[in-house]
Amino acid sequence: MDRVRFGELPYLEEKCQVDSCAISPDGRLLATCLNNNKPSLLKHYSVDIYDTGTWTKTHTLQGHDSKVTCVAFSPCSRILVSGSWDGTVRLWNCETGILGRILEGGPVWIKGVGFSSDGQLLVSCGQDCTVKVWNLQTFGLIYTFTGHSNQVTNAVFSPDGSRIVSSSHDQTIRLWDVNSIGLSFHSSDSSDPRTSLAYSPDGRSLISSSRGGWLRQYDSETGEIGLAAPTLPGHKGRVLCVAFSPCGRWIASGGNDKAVRLWNARSRLPFGELSGYWSDIISIGFSGDGREVTSGCMDGEIRVWDVERGESKA
């Protein structure tokens, strides 16, 4: 607790870079995927699961043959999905730590994974510029969306599951209609590579981040840039991750300026800054009730903040 700041809950310290982290929807579990490919460490590519009540590690999930880049919990909190540079998507039982399924045929160097709100579909994206959709009843690949001209950095379902939005280093975000298997719109209003994105809980708007240090709001139906505070300034470097709180009150973002920034989701005005980090923040997420925000850093630290109290730098 020697480096814990006001408003911060105890942090966890891994032995290597944390590439992604996620809190289960019920708030009971925290998952982290680690970049263990270092000469000083054994080369195993793992996912750690923690009990958030005791902050003890319950499982270390091993099996990927290359760097694990992303994790996400199912809506029921019982299943964890992980994506890796080995080109596979793996489904794990969170209670037992046992591998359930391996989905092969995904993009090389998978960058992002996520569930639909009903838990029936899974989306993955990656280095091959495609967005792929999987049926979790048959565990088969059902759609492949093409159109991006560079690696796809993130892809997420809309809250109602009818659409998928994706961001890419080709400087665009694209919205795909799952039912008609087509492109709804694409936005190319920036010359910066897109790094991350998030849907608002009501599905009406999108937030996209970029290497240029900004976040931008879009109408999720038309793709038009929002009129009220369309661009959120504040970061002094690349923005690498962004998240909406499930309650819809907050937006959180992190990047290489070593701070998590909080925004009022309605006014788009700054709400607070969570500082004291020692390296780039590369993943971020909220608890199911929106009261806590979790961040993963390149130095291996995983920090959990109380959103309401963490607004102060004191």
Side-chain angles (χ1 to χ4, degrees):
M1 296 285 286
D2 57 326
R3 281 156 50 184
V4 176
R5 300 174 63 85
F6 173 78
E8 184 188 4
L9 298 176
Y11 65 82
L12 305 170
E13 189 159 2
E14 296 282 9
K15 296 180 180 179
C16 52
Q17 175 176 318
V18 180
D19 280 329
S20 183
C21 63
I23 294 180
S24 61
D26 63 11
R28 295 190 308 108
L29 301 174
L30 169 71
T32 67
C33 58
L34 309 177
N35 181 1
N36 284 11
N37 192 13
K38 293 185 178 181
S40 60
L41 298 171
L42 292 176
K43 289 188 177 181
H44 65 276
Y45 307 94
S46 63
V47 176
D48 285 344
I49 299 180
Y50 292 89
D51 183 317
T52 60
T54 61
W55 295 111
T56 56
K57 188 182 298 183
T58 59
H59 298 291
T60 294
L61 312 179
Q62 297 186 34
H64 281 292
D65 296 326
S66 189
K67 178 179 176 179
V68 186
T69 56
C70 47
V71 288
F73 282 96
S74 65
C76 66
S77 299
R78 294 194 297 269
I79 304 297
L80 182 76
V81 61
S82 58
S84 167
W85 282 4
D86 64 13
T88 67
V89 174
R90 297 177 183 241
L91 299 168
W92 311 84
N93 184 306
C94 295
E95 296 180 357
T96 65
I98 295 175
L99 175 65
R101 284 277 182 169
I102 300 176
L103 307 181
E104 298 185 10
V108 179
W109 290 16
I110 292 174
K111 302 285 287 185
V113 290
F115 286 91
S116 60
S117 57
D118 61 5
Q120 301 299 304
L121 299 176
L122 180 73
V123 65
S124 64
C125 63
Q127 193 81 8
D128 67 352
C129 310
T130 67
V131 175
K132 297 181 182 291
V133 181
W134 310 78
N135 185 314
L136 293 182
Q137 298 299 311
T138 64
F139 299 101
L141 178 65
I142 53 176
Y143 306 135
T144 297
F145 295 119
T146 61
H148 283 295
S149 60
N150 205 329
Q151 64 174 293
V152 185
T153 55
N154 203 357
V156 295
F157 278 97
S158 62
D160 65 4
S162 65
R163 290 181 170 183
I164 293 170
V165 65
S166 57
S167 60
S168 169
H169 279 185
D170 67 6
Q171 303 160 14
T172 70
I173 60 171
R174 294 173 183 255
L175 192 68
W176 312 91
D177 193 317
V178 175
N179 297 321
S180 65
I181 318 177
L183 179 66
S184 296
F185 74 72
H186 81 276
S187 174
S188 56
D189 56 278
S190 169
S191 59
D192 291 326
R194 308 301 179 97
T195 54
S196 185
L197 50 80
Y199 257 106
S200 63
D202 61 11
R204 295 179 180 179
S205 64
L206 300 165
I207 291 289
S208 174
S209 64
S210 82
R211 285 187 175 183
W214 51 260
L215 294 95
R216 189 161 291 167
Q217 172 198 2
Y218 299 88
D219 184 290
S220 64
E221 291 294 325
T222 66
E224 295 179 354
I225 299 175
L227 298 178
T231 302
L232 308 183
H235 283 283
K236 299 176 182 178
R238 296 178 179 179
V239 184
L240 302 176
C241 48
V242 63
F244 256 102
S245 68
C247 62
R249 295 179 63 190
W250 319 116
I251 298 168
S253 58
N256 64 1
D257 60 359
K258 303 177 179 60
V260 169
R261 300 183 187 276
L262 296 172
W263 316 84
N264 185 299
R266 294 182 179 177
S267 68
R268 303 297 192 262
L269 295 176
F271 169 71
E273 176 184 319
L274 310 179
S275 58
Y277 293 89
W278 299 91
S279 66
D280 296 1
I281 300 161
I282 54 179
S283 62
I284 199 166
F286 281 92
S287 60
D289 58 10
R291 295 179 180 178
E292 297 171 357
V293 63
T294 301
S295 60
C297 301
M298 291 187 70
D299 64 2
E301 283 191 356
I302 305 160
R303 296 192 176 216
V304 183
W305 298 81
D306 181 300
V307 174
E308 294 284 353
R309 296 170 54 207
E311 64 184 51
S312 173
K313 294 182 180 180

